[in-house]
Amino acid sequence: MMTMNPVQEDSVRKQRTRRMAIGLGVLAIAFYIGFILMSVFVYSNPTP
Amino acid sequence: MSVNTEPKLSTARLVARLGLVVVAMFGFGYVMVPIYDVFCDITGLNGKTSDEVATAPVIVDTSRTVTVEFDATLNEYMQWEFAPEVHKVTVHPGELKTVNYRVRNRMDQDVNGQAVPSVAPGQAAEYLKKTECFCFTQQTLKAGEVRDMPVTFFIDPALPDDVHVVSLSYTFFDLAKLASHP
Amino acid sequence: MSEATTHDAHDHHDHGPAKGLMRWVTTTNHKDIGTLYLLFSLLMFFVGGAMAMVIRAELFAPGMQIVDPYFFNQMTTNHALIMIFGAVMPAFVGLANWLLPMMIGAPDMALPRMNNWSFWILPFAFSMLIGTLFMDGGAPAAGWTIYPPLVLQTGDAFPFMIFAIHMMGISSVMGAINVIATILNMRAPGMTLMKMPLFVWTWLITAYLLIAVMPVLAGAVTMLLTDKYFHTSFFTAAGGGDPVMYQHIFWFFGHPEVYILILPAFGIVSQIIPTFARKQLFGYSSMVYATASIAFLSFIVWAHHMFTVGMPVAGELFFMYATMLIAVPTGVKVFNWVSTMWKGSMTFETPMLFALGFVVLFTIGGFSGLMLAIAPSDFQYHDTYFVVAHFHYVLVTGAIYAIMAGTYYWLPKWTGHMYNETLGKWHFWLSTITVNILFFPQHFLGLAGMPRRIPDYSVQFAEFNMISSIGGFAFGLSQLMFAYIVISTIRGGKKASDQVWDGAKGLEWTLPSPPPYHSFTEAPEVK
């Protein structure tokens, strides 16, 4: 901290953390769901 | 540095004790071998059949049948031909049955072999009993010799009801190759 | 002092003999030896990583294109042996050497000369192992688990591999004895067991695991050796032995071994998260007991690696339930980390990012482990890429992420220089994105039935293998950033304060950065 961030108010920090967590969480879930859907496409049986 | 209030071992004694644990655990690795064998003997797990000659059964359970399948395999270095005459038989538990395996030595020299049996499923191993088997002893075949080797067995009537098929598999090992090579 | 230290270490590895080389050979200082361990493990990380690149290049497309199958098998085998015994384990021992005395208020390790020996065995062990690549018959290619009878067909490399494993074992056992003696006998006054930092606790438990199971591995490989050269029949069916017995002995070692690879990682993460959440670790004593329970359970679950060898139902059920039981203490740990962050005042410097990446991605690996623990479904997953995906999630994004988190966290303390935060963040994000592209598709490949340890595969696996390989190359390249950041931090950079991180607690932060050659010549006061 000493190094990069000027000391910030806790509440500002918490607010930012929450936004970041929600953003990244949505991104990560989209990533994994996208991948899983892709596997469904790749391995679904073509209709004969 | 020993300003601590708790009583403790001197470093030398602690290290000696830990060294003892190390030696003991090295030994334990070896002790696992006999433990494992005894465990398998008692429980008949792992498809190991008994090496002992069984006595012929008295009762035959005609109420059900069991299919016994035969399999033959050669170990990496073995230059024989080896196959059962029939691939499966259906027997009643307690019924005595003999099946021949045909063996031919393809080498131009005498070969000393040992057959090792295995039974699947593993739980059935202790119920497959042999009164006579070429796997009980080493077999020596002259160059080019052909021989029929019998195995006489019965299924113990105590075999669990849910087992309907038992596979008996033999692997022949070349004992000379085994000793000289790996 | 230590600044000079790390300089020399670097010179020694990069430019051959430098002035004062003998100092590195004969050193008994815990910081010098810690540095040697860490640099050695960094080197091995790249050697093992290069092998992984060969593997992913061959698997880029179906068909055989770059290497022949036998060489491919040598790559998978040696990649694993080098990463486990050469990269992850020495990195943890290096961290222990640097940090244990500083964390418990001791001047050095309890057995400094043995410490020197346990490090200097390693370069010889790995020269021997890597040297087998150039031998007649090539390097060992039977997989890192070296199952007989396959491994007995190894050529000239066989005895070299066995003795290399013996030496690695001796090195780790000596390291472990040293750790236990240091922790039990060298603590500063007032540093009771339940006041020790969690990294110290997890290492104490790991050290006990090491002395309990490394000798078992030594026994198993000795049996292989005598089976091949001295006509014993431990694992040869014709002589009354049983190859399955090898699997039992091996995994009796192997399962505790995987906890040896992860428990110190738990310790590192438990140090970092409280610092950047600016809160005390939630549930300290439950963390200690959870670690001890995981260690205990690790001894009674080994057969879950071999559900398919033919076990009675009772055995499968026992090992299945015992394995699932491990999820309980592990869950305690994950929830404690999350609770530590709850309502904390968090900032996200590189160590914290890696620690958070660890918590999330290690948990994914833990869940796929639970899937594998279910005996009936394991018959489908066994020896497929699902297993590969599982253990790479727990080892790469688990153990290695924790090692990197720890390196970024303590590097300013060790060198007295701040690393480049921007580059560190880039390293984290590149690694985290690419590692998921690398390993996540391998779950699908495994569920679709692609077997592990094969150089060629059928075409339905082509898409995901290509994605995985692209992720693999990108992940491999990203790690060059790590080497660059570490080396440039050793060489110079912004001065780090003694405290370094404003939320950091513990004795090591009371020392100057870099710390003096002998940490606490006078025992500190512990409240």
Side-chain angles (χ1 to χ4, degrees):
Chain A
M1 259 24 19
M2 322 249 8
T3 50
M4 60 269 345
N5 293 347
V7 182
Q8 288 168 311
E9 285 296 316
D10 263 12
S11 62
V12 178
R13 202 185 261 161
K14 280 179 184 168
Q15 195 90 65
R16 206 187 48 184
T17 303
R18 182 186 303 241
R19 274 204 307 272
M20 191 169 146
I22 292 172
L24 281 173
V26 169
L27 211 68
I29 289 168
F31 177 87
Y32 290 121
I33 299 225
F35 242 147
I36 290 167
L37 283 178
M38 197 165 146
S39 83
V40 173
F41 270 113
V42 171
Y43 291 121
S44 58
N45 288 319
T47 32
Chain B
M1 265 323 293
S2 56
V3 220
N4 220 329
T5 45
E6 311 154 42
K8 51 194 172 189
L9 289 169
S10 78
T11 302
R13 294 187 66 174
L14 179 64
V15 171
R17 285 190 187 185
L18 294 173
L20 215 64
V21 175
V22 172
V23 174
M25 288 310 290
F26 184 78
F28 177 74
Y30 277 84
V31 174
M32 278 175 89
V33 178
I35 291 179
Y36 176 86
D37 277 347
V38 169
F39 187 77
C40 285
D41 263 6
I42 294 172
T43 57
L45 296 178
N46 204 29
K48 279 192 169 180
T49 55
S50 170
D51 287 340
E52 282 155 41
V53 181
T55 44
V58 236
I59 335 146
V60 179
D61 178 3
T62 50
S63 66
R64 63 177 176 144
T65 57
V66 176
T67 303
V68 183
E69 299 176 331
F70 301 96
D71 179 45
T73 318
L74 292 170
N75 186 242
E76 188 193 359
Y77 302 103
M78 195 58 157
Q79 302 291 322
W80 286 4
E81 277 165 25
F82 178 44
E85 280 187 330
V86 286
H87 288 283
K88 59 179 161 186
V89 295
T90 303
V91 295
H92 293 297
E95 184 187 340
L96 209 57
K97 192 87 183 175
T98 302
V99 168
N100 278 321
Y101 274 74
R102 169 144 309 179
V103 191
R104 187 171 79 87
N105 181 0
R106 293 198 281 121
M107 302 285 282
D108 48 11
Q109 65 197 49
D110 296 4
V111 172
N112 201 7
Q114 170 72 53
V116 175
S118 171
V119 173
Q123 292 95 312
E126 58 177 319
Y127 301 102
L128 193 142
K129 304 211 161 145
K130 287 169 254 171
T131 56
E132 189 194 341
C133 180
F134 57 93
C135 59
F136 290 156
T137 54
Q138 295 180 7
Q139 304 287 334
T140 309
L141 259 69
K142 296 197 175 55
E145 185 184 342
V146 182
R147 191 187 297 170
D148 282 332
M149 295 182 174
V151 50
T152 306
F153 69 93
F154 65 93
I155 301 284
D156 191 321
L159 180 78
D161 283 341
D162 56 342
V163 181
H164 303 291
V165 181
V166 177
S167 304
L168 174 59
S169 167
Y170 286 102
T171 305
F172 245 117
F173 289 77
D174 182 337
L175 287 171
K177 285 278 170 40
L178 211 67
S180 67
H181 204 59
Chain C
M1 198 57 159
S2 170
E3 192 181 341
T5 296
T6 35
H7 263 298
D8 282 359
H10 172 71
D11 291 341
H12 160 58
H13 274 256
D14 269 18
H15 313 295
K19 196 170 58 144
L21 177 69
M22 275 317 280
R23 172 185 160 199
W24 292 99
V25 179
T26 58
T27 184
T28 55
N29 181 275
H30 75 101
K31 298 190 182 75
D32 288 355
I33 293 171
T35 305
L36 288 171
Y37 262 114
L38 287 168
L39 290 177
F40 177 78
S41 104
L42 186 64
L43 179 69
M44 285 298 123
F45 179 60
F46 283 101
V47 173
M51 292 176 173
M53 295 298 104
V54 175
I55 295 168
R56 279 323 317 172
E58 178 57 53
L59 292 174
F60 191 80
M64 305 298 309
Q65 31 263 326
I66 298 167
V67 294
D68 70 83
Y70 187 60
F71 188 74
F72 182 90
N73 289 344
Q74 296 176 31
M75 287 292 107
T76 53
T77 304
N78 286 282
H79 164 72
L81 286 173
I82 287 173
M83 286 302 198
I84 292 168
F85 294 103
V88 175
M89 287 170 69
F92 282 139
V93 182
L95 288 166
N97 261 297
W98 254 103
L99 297 167
L100 294 185
M102 290 178 9
M103 284 178 161
I104 61 171
D108 205 311
M109 298 292 277
L111 308 156
R113 268 176 290 193
M114 191 161 94
N115 205 8
N116 172 288
W117 198 21
S118 58
F119 171 75
W120 278 109
I121 287 178
L122 281 181
F124 294 97
F126 282 92
S127 312
M128 244 160 73
L129 184 67
I130 296 169
T132 57
L133 278 168
F134 308 102
M135 282 180 180
D136 267 0
W144 83 278
T145 52
I146 51 175
Y147 281 179
L150 182 60
V151 73
L152 297 175
Q153 297 172 14
T154 307
D156 295 349
F158 185 77
F160 288 86
M161 172 190 69
I162 300 293
F163 285 119
I165 291 175
H166 273 145
M167 285 160 75
M168 295 165 200
I170 290 168
S171 162
S172 338
V173 164
M174 289 196 305
I177 290 178
N178 208 346
V179 165
I180 296 174
T182 307
I183 296 175
L184 294 187
N185 276 1
M186 306 273 286
R187 276 170 291 128
M191 176 64 79
T192 57
L193 285 175
M194 290 309 276
K195 274 190 190 166
M196 296 193 309
L198 252 148
F199 180 70
V200 181
W201 254 116
T202 52
W203 240 113
L204 179 66
I205 291 166
T206 305
Y208 276 110
L209 286 181
L210 273 168
I211 62 167
V213 299
M214 290 310 285
V216 175
L217 174 70
V221 297
T222 309
M223 290 180 217
L224 286 177
L225 190 80
T226 54
D227 265 14
K228 187 163 164 89
Y229 295 110
F230 301 103
H231 313 301
T232 57
S233 293
F234 287 106
F235 311 126
T236 315
D242 187 342
V244 175
M245 187 177 65
Y246 174 84
Q247 299 187 24
H248 282 286
I249 301 176
F250 180 85
W251 287 112
F252 183 83
F253 146 80
H255 204 76
E257 167 69 14
V258 304
Y259 291 123
I260 289 166
L261 298 173
I262 203 65
L263 292 184
F266 290 166
I268 294 168
V269 170
S270 307
Q271 301 295 127
I272 292 174
I273 289 180
T275 299
F276 296 96
R278 290 168 182 74
K279 275 179 67 195
Q280 258 197 326
L281 182 69
F282 186 88
Y284 171 88
S285 48
S286 68
M287 286 296 222
V288 173
Y289 293 123
T291 312
S293 334
I294 293 173
F296 168 73
L297 288 171
S298 74
F299 284 102
I300 55 164
V301 296
W302 77 89
H304 67 210
H305 295 271
M306 36 192 292
F307 277 143
T308 57
V309 296
M311 250 187 282
V313 176
E316 308 241 331
L317 287 177
F318 170 78
F319 287 109
M320 171 170 122
Y321 289 132
T323 306
M324 292 181 148
L325 209 54
I326 296 180
V328 176
T330 314
V332 167
K333 286 182 156 291
V334 172
F335 283 117
N336 278 348
W337 291 321
V338 174
S339 310
T340 306
M341 291 185 273
W342 182 253
K343 295 195 166 170
S345 176
M346 295 205 286
T347 50
F348 299 91
E349 288 82 359
T350 313
M352 182 61 163
L353 288 175
F354 271 100
L356 289 174
F358 170 95
V359 174
V360 173
L361 298 174
F362 174 80
T363 304
I364 292 179
F367 280 135
S368 57
L370 269 177
M371 289 172 72
L372 288 163
I374 303 168
S377 36
D378 182 69
F379 276 68
Q380 168 74 15
Y381 308 147
H382 186 88
D383 256 348
T384 66
Y385 257 81
F386 193 81
V387 179
V388 176
H390 157 69
F391 67 69
H392 281 96
Y393 262 91
V394 290
L395 288 178
V396 177
T397 59
I400 290 179
Y401 262 42
I403 291 166
M404 287 175 170
T407 308
Y408 283 114
Y409 185 56
W410 283 295
L411 198 59
K413 171 57 63 186
W414 298 336
T415 61
H417 302 136
M418 213 49 210
Y419 61 87
N420 184 329
E421 187 65 47
T422 316
L423 283 183
K425 287 205 165 104
W426 268 98
H427 174 221
F428 170 76
W429 287 109
L430 281 175
S431 298
T432 301
I433 293 165
T434 55
V435 84
N436 281 290
I437 297 173
L438 166 57
F439 293 121
F440 207 72
Q442 294 183 359
H443 290 114
F444 309 140
L445 290 170
L447 292 177
M450 177 169 162
R452 61 191 282 211
R453 293 171 173 155
I454 47 125
D456 188 10
Y457 48 83
S458 88
V459 285
Q460 74 265 33
F461 305 127
E463 292 90 344
F464 282 123
N465 266 299
M466 188 177 289
I467 294 173
S468 178
S469 284
I470 291 169
F473 300 142
F475 181 73
L477 285 175
S478 314
Q479 301 324 304
L480 295 175
M481 286 187 71
F482 179 66
Y484 172 78
I485 295 168
V486 169
I487 290 167
S488 60
T489 309
I490 292 171
R491 300 206 141 178
K494 217 166 63 184
K495 205 86 194 83
S497 68
D498 295 352
Q499 177 63 30
V500 186
W501 314 107
D502 64 22
K505 302 257 179 356
L507 286 178
E508 76 264 35
W509 308 106
T510 64
L511 290 166
S513 304
Y517 202 50
H518 295 288
S519 306
F520 290 100
T521 36
E522 274 180 41
E525 206 50 53
V526 181
K527 308 141 294 269

